[in-house]
Amino acid sequence: MQIPPFTLNRQYQEIGSEIESEVSKVLKGGQYIGGQEIAKFEESFSSLIGVENTIGCNSGTDALVLALRALDIGVGDEVITSSFSFFATAEAISAVGANPVLVDIDPETYLINTELIEQEINSNTKAIMPVHLFGNAVNMTLIKSLANKYDLKVIEDCAQATCTMWDNSKVGSIGDIGCFSFFPTKNLGAAGDGGAVTTSDQNIANKIRELAVHGSPIRYHHTQIGYNSRLDTIQAAILNIKIKYISKWINNRQIIANNYLDLLGKNPFISFPKISSDLISHSWNQFVIKLRNDKYFLNEDFSNLFDTDCKKYYSLRNLVKQQLFEKGINSIIYYPIPIHAQIAYKNKNFSRIKLINTERICTEVLSLPMFPEISYEEQVYIAENLNKVLKYCIDEIQISA
């Protein structure tokens, strides 16, 4: 059996004819920038998330940059976020001239440790950027409390969390601004790049709309230096079809996650990300397990520590990944290298001891195949082989429970 980590082929079999029909209408209509498809999607997504405004843009990365710019965050300012995320989270902060302040994660949830945020706040701090990683939700009650206490803005990185909920509110509607990605692998994915910014603040929405079209409130009148960051009309047409199915797909993901937990939960060598509160409705963009790495040492050289090749770094996670691959099970590592260890930030001198949980987890996490159409039989095959592989690998690595 060959099982991909993610596939859109099965989704296309279900809704491909609808997508082709809508794309054909756009091509025949000749309006490839803006138009009714964009307006329709922005209205539908606003309704889905529970906000007054959605502004489509070119990518999730652009959404973060536009959000930061709209809040006048720039040179000399600081934004607090997590080091355990895709690079774009910190990259966007740096792109506007601000400084990312990286906080360690809670090793049980893999999310930013909210108890460590307050000690990083100073006069230069302008915003907190919580990352709702893998479809889990950061404790937004605590984030909002801190923001109110210190007069900070909150930008939610929701790239992996479309339809995740905190306390009956969708993420992206709780902070000042929400930032979403429609990269094809997301819960709601386009057929290429795409993103959106959400907010219920009309002034912020107006600023973002201007920034996304060259800082132009009126055509050929430019009040500031902006960007060319628009959601493509064809992508909007595709998203307008897919958004009708999002509730079904999220429900499928939740069922699939529960299946994995049932099939693997008795294995003492597998840990799962903790859902820290009953207030969370997880959307399971990824299903991530943690395989303990007793070989991790803080003083190890970066170049070896975060290598995913078991021949170069002989850890339980790396060996399991290779063994699963040989049985046709394709897994992915999100994320093998923490942001603070990236070469692009080598001159920032981030404190490794402050980010020790982040470092360790990057050597331990493994994402199992997760997509709404995966079958129960495929999950059973994955679980049976993972349990068998672990027995071999644990003996090989010599790990005790």
Side-chain angles (χ1 to χ4, degrees):
M1 189 178 288
Q2 291 291 324
I3 306 174
F6 178 85
T7 180
L8 287 167
N9 292 342
R10 299 179 199 184
Q11 183 187 99
Y12 188 77
Q13 290 173 7
E14 179 183 7
I15 63 170
S17 59
E18 289 183 79
I19 289 175
E20 289 179 6
S21 176
E22 290 304 307
V23 169
S24 178
K25 287 178 184 178
V26 173
L27 294 174
K28 290 176 181 177
Q31 183 162 18
Y32 306 145
I33 302 294
Q36 288 184 332
E37 293 293 342
I38 297 292
K40 179 181 177 182
F41 176 71
E42 291 182 343
E43 182 179 348
S44 296
F45 198 71
S46 292
S47 178
L48 177 70
I49 302 303
V51 292
E52 295 296 322
N53 302 280
T54 293
I55 303 96
C57 60
N58 183 63
S59 66
T61 306
D62 277 11
L64 294 169
V65 171
L66 290 166
L68 291 159
R69 281 286 308 275
L71 296 175
D72 298 320
I73 293 172
V75 177
D77 296 332
E78 294 183 358
V79 178
I80 294 172
T81 193
S82 172
S83 186
F84 189 52
S85 180
F86 181 58
F87 186 69
T89 301
E91 180 184 36
I93 298 168
S94 297
V96 301
N99 295 311
V101 176
L102 303 179
V103 171
D104 206 1
I105 59 166
D106 179 330
E108 293 189 343
T109 67
Y110 316 166
L111 304 173
I112 190 169
N113 189 332
T114 52
E115 295 181 2
L116 300 178
I117 293 176
E118 190 166 16
Q119 67 192 41
E120 300 297 338
I121 296 173
N122 59 49
S123 59
N124 293 321
T125 309
K126 295 297 185 291
I128 304 171
M129 186 183 286
V131 182
H132 303 299
L133 198 67
F134 305 143
N136 203 356
V138 176
N139 185 326
M140 290 305 295
T141 302
L142 292 178
I143 294 291
K144 290 286 286 183
S145 177
L146 283 172
N148 292 334
K149 181 178 179 179
Y150 292 99
D151 192 25
L152 304 176
K153 298 297 184 181
V154 177
I155 303 170
E156 297 180 74
D157 185 337
C158 310
Q160 297 180 356
T162 299
C163 289
T164 294
M165 299 185 73
W166 171 265
D167 195 13
N168 295 316
S169 294
K170 298 274 180 63
V171 298
S173 71
I174 306 166
D176 296 280
I177 303 177
C179 298
F180 292 82
S181 168
F182 303 127
F183 190 79
T185 59
K186 306 302 184 188
N187 288 343
L188 181 62
D193 279 314
V197 187
T198 57
T199 182
S200 288
D201 187 311
Q202 192 60 51
N203 289 329
I204 290 175
N206 291 341
K207 287 182 180 180
I208 293 170
R209 288 195 186 280
E210 290 183 15
L211 285 167
V213 286
H214 305 287
S216 176
I218 303 172
R219 193 173 187 184
Y220 300 131
H221 293 259
H222 305 272
T223 58
Q224 56 188 313
I225 303 299
Y227 309 90
N228 177 17
S229 182
R230 294 171 289 214
L231 180 62
D232 180 84
T233 304
I234 288 178
Q235 299 302 340
I238 293 169
L239 290 168
N240 281 329
I241 295 298
K242 290 192 172 188
I243 201 169
K244 297 186 296 183
Y245 296 89
I246 188 64
S247 295
K248 172 187 172 182
W249 293 338
I250 295 298
N251 184 63
N252 286 354
R253 287 176 178 274
Q254 291 169 340
I255 292 170
I256 291 162
N258 286 330
N259 290 341
Y260 273 136
L261 292 170
D262 289 340
L263 291 165
L264 298 169
K266 293 181 181 179
N267 194 313
F269 295 96
I270 300 176
S271 298
F272 306 97
K274 182 180 178 182
I275 302 176
S276 59
S277 171
D278 292 338
L279 299 175
I280 295 172
S281 177
H282 203 307
S283 65
W284 297 103
N285 192 214
Q286 283 87 20
F287 188 88
V288 182
I289 63 172
K290 183 169 68 172
L291 303 171
R292 197 175 83 213
N293 180 19
D294 290 339
K295 293 171 62 64
Y296 171 81
F297 295 103
L298 182 64
N299 63 350
E300 183 147 1
D301 186 277
F302 273 164
S303 61
N304 293 324
L305 180 59
F306 302 118
D307 205 304
T308 59
D309 186 341
C310 63
K311 295 179 181 178
K312 297 178 181 178
Y313 188 70
Y314 202 60
S315 69
L316 179 60
R317 190 272 310 278
N318 291 354
L319 186 57
V320 167
K321 187 179 190 304
Q322 178 61 34
Q323 292 289 313
L324 289 176
F325 176 76
E326 291 176 5
K327 295 182 181 300
I329 301 166
N330 294 273
S331 57
I332 295 181
I333 298 171
Y334 299 104
Y335 293 96
I337 307 174
I339 291 172
H340 70 271
Q342 296 289 348
I343 292 173
Y345 282 132
K346 65 180 179 181
N347 296 326
K348 287 289 186 181
N349 296 317
F350 291 112
S351 169
R352 292 186 66 192
I353 192 65
K354 280 187 171 184
L355 298 164
I356 192 167
N357 290 321
T358 299
E359 286 204 5
R360 178 183 290 275
I361 207 167
C362 285
T363 72
E364 297 177 328
V365 288
L366 187 67
S367 295
L368 300 182
M370 168 58 89
F371 46 95
E373 300 82 15
I374 193 170
S375 70
Y376 183 71
E377 289 72 24
E378 287 172 316
Q379 287 193 271
V380 170
Y381 180 81
I382 291 166
E384 288 178 346
N385 280 280
L386 177 55
N387 285 325
K388 290 177 184 176
V389 160
L390 265 171
K391 288 182 181 179
Y392 162 77
C393 293
I394 287 162
D395 291 338
E396 188 74 12
I397 301 289
Q398 297 182 333
I399 292 177
S400 58

